[in-house]
Amino acid sequence: MKTPQEIFEILKQKFGESVIGFADNKLLEFAIEIAPLAIAEVGYFLRDDSELLFDNLILLSALDDMTGKKVTEEDGSFRFEGGTLSVIYHIESTSSRHKIVLKVVVPKENAEIESVAYVWNHANWEEREAFDMIGIKFLNHPNMIRILMPYNWDAGYPLRKDYKNPEFYEGMKVPY
Amino acid sequence: MSVLKTEEMILNMGPQHPSTHGVLRLELELDGELIIDVKPHVGYLHRCFEKHCEALTYPQIVPYVDRMDYLAAMYNEFGYAVTVERMLGIQVPERVEYIRVIMGEFQRIASHLVAVGTYGLDIGAFTPFLYCFRDRERILSLFEMTCGARLLYNYIWVGGLSHDLHPDFLRLAKEFLPDFKNTLSELNNLLSYNKIFTERTANVGVLPLDTAINYGVTGPNLRASGLKWDLRKDDPYSIYDKFDFDIPVGQGWYGTVGDCWDRYYLRVLEMEQSVKILEQALVQIPDGNISEAIPKRIKPPEGQIYTRVENPRGELGYFIVSKGGLQPHRVKVHAPSFIHLGLLGELCKGHFVADVIAILGSIDIVLGEVDR
């Protein structure tokens, strides 16, 4: 069993620049921040290294950090310019019983992250959900399509903080 | 004579198919009777639970979590309450903890009774279903007596409960347990060891342990594949450390470890363990005030937290990000049914069409939780 601090040291030594930092998220969790394009490589290492054996991805969650500049339109609606989105990976080892939190932050304009669906199969659907709800594109994902919303939904990503309901959906007025 | 042309066939199962336990469409790719691939199409019940949470205060979210896994609503509230209490650092009174465990374990039995009963129904055995629902009815009456609702309770609040127990509750609950043990042995004779049932389920849909872990499978489905992993013991919360109970694991009683029969029978064994916990909890429950720890205003500090509990279907986790306001910044739910459904294609490959029903029933999903 290893502490998050020790795992951070191991990762830092192995991957250097790709491991950005040790972020304190207050309350109970510490997260290791990883570069967006290195996450799959780090994932393979964490899963297969004989001392770490992180075989279980507990949860993959995406969120809108709401860090951009708020621009208010004339009709009272608003949107955020710039800002970041982040994806948080909770992973654990069922044999050694240690767990850590990884974090990847990407700018909203260019939200692209390497997929970990081939590392942990569980990520396949979770990444589709993150794409559907927040609009993060996962590179090299086997099937990057919407999952909960209709496949032809073109009104944006509902869990972004500046999401607006469309006026019409398939010719029907919303709210009807 | 010309050669007959053959090709793969696409068959849609659902969205209104009785064995899909809700609104789910499965797109089957068939080679004759053999399954080449199964693609589940979900989202028919999507209600934007996570988006709603961002506009509600913490206590207002409680009735919404009921509506995810509607067969285990008590446990959803339990998990949510534990998460927010950890964010706030609240210690709840002992009586509240006991009542939560009692309600949680009754809910586990009720939920497994539906799972087991409808599984028999899917396979073609009608009678066990009625036996299961008869006993579930008594549990629902106990819930109704406590909080007035039979399915969606809004009972477990952050820091406490909405009502104390009814004066008759403990007596009726204690009367129920011996009767229920009889039901379990009846159920075993009617369904579990039934030759037709075992032939349909043993060695079907085998889930090896490494695949299960890689797909993030949790709860009874993971334990049926042979890993002793139960959050009540492995990541303790509430007062489960005070009770003496075992964690059953799949042993391939009739076939291979991790087949449909193992997943089914593990739920029967878990009900026995829940009875064991209830027998202890109903005797040990102390007196006390159930509402003294309910905070007047819930405003957690800034930060993020992930807490998980052992829901009847698997690991139910809440990931909450707070920016220090009265409303959460983001709520993400680790929904076991959603994850288990993602596995379906892998499990069904190479089986016959009729086995899809057996496999889907054995992983026990609730579509309300898949779509949220």
Side-chain angles (χ1 to χ4, degrees):
Chain A
M1 187 148 175
K2 291 189 186 304
T3 62
Q5 188 69 45
E6 284 167 355
I7 293 164
F8 172 66
E9 297 299 335
I10 295 171
L11 286 180
K12 189 82 199 162
Q13 209 165 27
K14 173 100 181 147
F15 292 99
E17 297 265 302
S18 301
V19 180
I20 296 168
F22 197 65
D24 179 1
N25 288 306
K26 306 197 182 80
L27 280 175
L28 295 179
E29 291 187 347
F30 296 94
I32 299 172
E33 199 179 327
I34 310 280
L37 297 181
I39 183 73
E41 209 185 327
V42 172
Y44 275 119
F45 173 73
L46 286 171
R47 188 191 70 180
D48 296 334
D49 188 77
S50 59
E51 283 192 353
L52 299 172
L53 290 174
F54 281 100
D55 49 4
N56 184 14
L57 172 71
I58 308 173
L59 180 71
L60 185 152
S61 38
L63 60 122
D64 185 349
D65 293 324
M66 213 165 73
T67 43
K69 196 171 133 237
K70 192 170 176 177
V71 181
T72 313
E73 310 271 351
E74 280 169 14
D75 59 349
S77 62
F78 59 88
R79 63 196 158 83
F80 289 98
E81 270 182 7
T84 54
L85 307 171
S86 41
V87 176
I88 302 197
Y89 305 78
H90 289 75
I91 53 176
E92 76 177 333
S93 162
T94 47
S95 47
S96 329
R97 309 256 157 158
H98 43 222
K99 47 181 182 177
I100 53 165
V101 183
L102 304 179
K103 186 179 183 183
V104 173
V105 182
V106 283
K108 217 181 226 177
E109 282 75 46
N110 183 24
E112 288 186 341
I113 295 180
E114 194 71 25
S115 165
V116 292
Y118 291 105
V119 188
W120 300 287
N121 260 315
H122 168 193
N124 188 331
W125 276 34
E126 295 274 17
E127 282 177 352
R128 273 175 72 188
E129 195 191 329
F131 166 70
D132 195 1
M133 293 292 147
I134 302 275
I136 293 169
K137 196 155 180 270
F138 291 90
L139 305 171
N140 300 327
H141 185 281
N143 188 19
M144 192 86 269
I145 54 170
R146 287 189 180 266
I147 184 163
L148 294 178
M149 303 293 284
Y151 293 123
N152 60 355
W153 190 255
D154 56 2
Y157 304 104
L159 278 179
R160 286 202 181 174
K161 291 286 178 180
D162 51 2
Y163 171 76
K164 280 193 285 289
N165 267 329
E167 220 170 308
F168 289 94
Y169 174 62
E170 298 201 334
M172 292 176 287
K173 192 156 177 3
V174 185
Y176 46 88
Chain B
M1 200 175 91
S2 65
V3 182
L4 277 175
K5 189 174 169 252
T6 58
E7 61 180 357
E8 277 86 51
M9 184 172 77
I10 302 286
L11 182 74
N12 277 305
M13 190 185 271
Q16 275 87 23
H17 189 281
S19 77
T20 52
H21 299 268
V23 205
L24 163 72
R25 180 160 71 93
L26 297 176
E27 191 184 317
L28 311 180
E29 200 183 332
L30 302 174
D31 176 9
E33 278 282 304
L34 278 176
I35 308 272
I36 297 172
D37 199 9
V38 178
K39 288 196 197 97
H41 293 269
V42 299
Y44 292 92
L45 288 175
H46 183 51
R47 291 145 296 172
C48 316
F49 163 74
E50 288 167 7
K51 185 76 178 172
H52 274 301
C53 290
E54 292 171 11
L56 298 168
T57 62
Y58 288 91
Q60 283 174 335
I61 295 174
V62 176
Y64 280 75
V65 300
D66 279 344
R67 281 150 180 83
M68 288 193 305
D69 183 353
Y70 42 77
L71 293 178
M74 268 310 174
Y75 230 97
N76 294 359
E77 294 167 5
F78 193 173
Y80 178 73
V82 169
T83 312
V84 180
E85 280 154 16
R86 282 199 190 160
M87 290 174 94
L88 295 164
I90 295 179
Q91 189 69 40
V92 298
E94 190 139 323
R95 184 176 173 81
V96 173
E97 295 277 29
Y98 268 93
I99 296 176
R100 282 180 182 181
V101 169
I102 290 170
M103 292 302 170
E105 293 308 314
F106 268 128
Q107 183 74 86
R108 189 184 307 277
I109 293 175
S111 168
H112 281 350
L113 280 175
V114 178
V116 165
T118 54
Y119 191 43
L121 205 58
D122 289 348
I123 302 287
F126 199 92
T127 321
F129 173 74
L130 300 173
Y131 280 65
C132 291
F133 267 59
R134 180 194 66 194
D135 279 35
R136 178 170 177 263
E137 196 61 32
R138 285 180 70 179
I139 296 176
L140 295 190
S141 303
L142 287 171
F143 289 156
E144 189 179 3
M145 175 188 215
T146 314
C147 59
R150 289 163 54 80
L151 198 66
L152 308 164
Y153 310 102
N154 190 11
Y155 179 62
I156 296 174
W157 288 354
V158 175
L161 307 163
S162 72
H163 301 79
D164 204 340
L165 293 179
H166 188 277
D168 279 345
F169 181 91
L170 290 177
R171 180 178 61 81
L172 289 171
K174 279 175 193 160
E175 277 173 18
F176 168 75
L177 294 180
D179 296 353
F180 180 64
K181 281 184 182 165
N182 290 336
T183 304
L184 276 181
S185 66
E186 272 174 350
L187 181 71
N188 280 338
N189 290 330
L190 267 174
L191 187 63
S192 308
Y193 311 135
N194 184 319
K195 178 83 173 152
I196 304 168
F197 181 71
T198 52
E199 291 284 313
R200 278 295 303 277
T201 53
N203 287 323
V204 170
V206 178
L207 176 60
L209 183 58
D210 51 345
T211 315
I213 294 173
N214 200 252
Y215 271 92
V217 173
T218 49
N221 296 342
L222 178 64
R223 290 192 282 278
S225 292
L227 184 67
K228 206 167 186 170
W229 180 269
D230 189 316
L231 297 171
R232 288 175 291 178
K233 294 219 170 174
D234 287 306
D235 192 357
Y237 56 95
S238 193
I239 48 163
Y240 277 105
D241 48 354
K242 289 191 180 171
F243 304 113
D244 170 37
F245 63 101
D246 300 325
I247 303 168
V249 287
Q251 286 160 8
W253 290 277
Y254 273 80
T256 324
V257 178
D259 59 10
C260 287
W261 198 85
D262 273 16
R263 282 195 287 277
Y264 157 82
Y265 194 58
L266 206 88
R267 293 191 165 84
V268 178
L269 293 180
E270 275 195 4
M271 286 195 273
E272 282 172 14
Q273 296 306 319
S274 292
V275 170
K276 209 167 155 187
I277 296 173
L278 282 168
E279 278 170 344
Q280 298 163 51
L282 289 171
V283 176
Q284 293 168 12
I285 182 169
D287 287 333
N289 182 354
I290 53 118
S291 55
E292 66 183 19
I294 297 179
K296 291 220 162 46
R297 188 160 163 271
I298 297 178
K299 199 177 173 188
E302 199 182 327
Q304 62 182 40
I305 190 168
Y306 178 71
T307 306
R308 49 192 186 164
V309 294
E310 187 72 33
N311 179 299
R313 277 173 190 78
E315 171 182 329
L316 176 75
Y318 290 93
F319 176 66
I320 301 182
V321 180
S322 158
K323 292 260 176 182
L326 291 170
Q327 294 150 346
H329 176 70
R330 171 87 164 97
V331 176
K332 159 90 185 170
V333 180
H334 177 285
S337 300
F338 179 73
I339 290 148
H340 295 161
L341 191 57
L343 177 77
L344 190 67
E346 184 71 27
L347 275 183
C348 290
K349 263 173 211 164
H351 284 87
F352 294 110
V353 178
D355 292 333
V356 175
I357 310 293
I359 293 168
L360 184 65
S362 77
I363 59 174
D364 185 25
I365 51 163
V366 166
L367 268 297
E369 190 183 46
V370 173
D371 298 338
R372 302 188 293 283

